Amino acid sequence: MGYPIPEAGLDDRIGFTGTSGSGKTYAAGTAVEKLLTTGARVVIVDPLGAWWGLRLKADGKSKGFDLPIFGGEHGDLPLNEGAGKLIGETVAGMAESCIVDLSALPSKSAERRFMITFLESMYRKANGSPFHVVF
């Protein structure tokens, strides 16, 4: 069975909805893998710390996608709630895809403070080249 979403559909707005455990992250992950394989730029905002697995192939051992990770247990750089503006500007100017892992922030309030400045600065500093944002 082929992937159920046509490739042209991946360049449009897509939402995955369902109850907890219904496969939303798996379905979105498969879509992101297809995008990354085509060279598309993807910015993943990860509140749970689950998306670092894109660095591995399905066998869990072999190297997968080479993605920088901001924050979280597997991050290349730590995050704090005051770094939203800097990370947003950085992400907007990058040519690479990346993961912004919020899982180590201490509270939902800290996540919101980070995201407000992150999204505003990413939007303001975007250089015009398209990229996908996954929440």
Side-chain angles (χ1 to χ4, degrees):
M1 178 175 144
Y3 187 68
I5 299 173
E7 285 201 31
L10 294 175
D11 275 337
D12 206 344
R13 294 162 189 90
I14 298 176
F16 297 93
T17 60
T19 59
S20 180
S22 64
K24 297 177 302 292
T25 301
Y26 178 81
T30 304
V32 167
E33 288 174 345
K34 288 198 74 76
L35 288 167
L36 291 171
T37 300
T38 66
R41 196 171 85 159
V42 182
V43 176
I44 301 162
V45 177
D46 180 5
L48 303 176
W51 285 84
W52 69 270
L54 285 170
R55 284 184 164 176
L56 301 172
K57 291 201 182 270
D59 65 12
K61 297 174 186 161
S62 304
K63 185 176 167 80
F65 296 99
D66 188 22
L67 298 169
I69 301 175
F70 299 98
E73 182 181 340
H74 301 278
D76 301 305
L77 294 169
L79 272 190
N80 64 57
E81 64 185 271
K85 183 176 188 279
L86 176 63
I87 301 298
E89 290 173 353
T90 301
V91 166
M94 291 173 55
E96 302 85 12
S97 295
C98 68
I99 298 169
V100 179
D101 184 338
L102 308 177
S103 66
L105 292 177
S107 66
K108 296 291 181 194
S109 296
E111 288 179 11
R112 282 190 291 276
R113 285 188 290 274
F114 174 88
M115 287 302 295
I116 287 168
T117 56
F118 170 76
L119 291 171
E120 182 176 1
S121 63
M122 185 175 66
Y123 175 76
R124 300 263 180 239
K125 296 290 182 176
N127 61 14
S129 61
F131 59 95
H132 302 268
V133 181
V134 177
F135 294 99

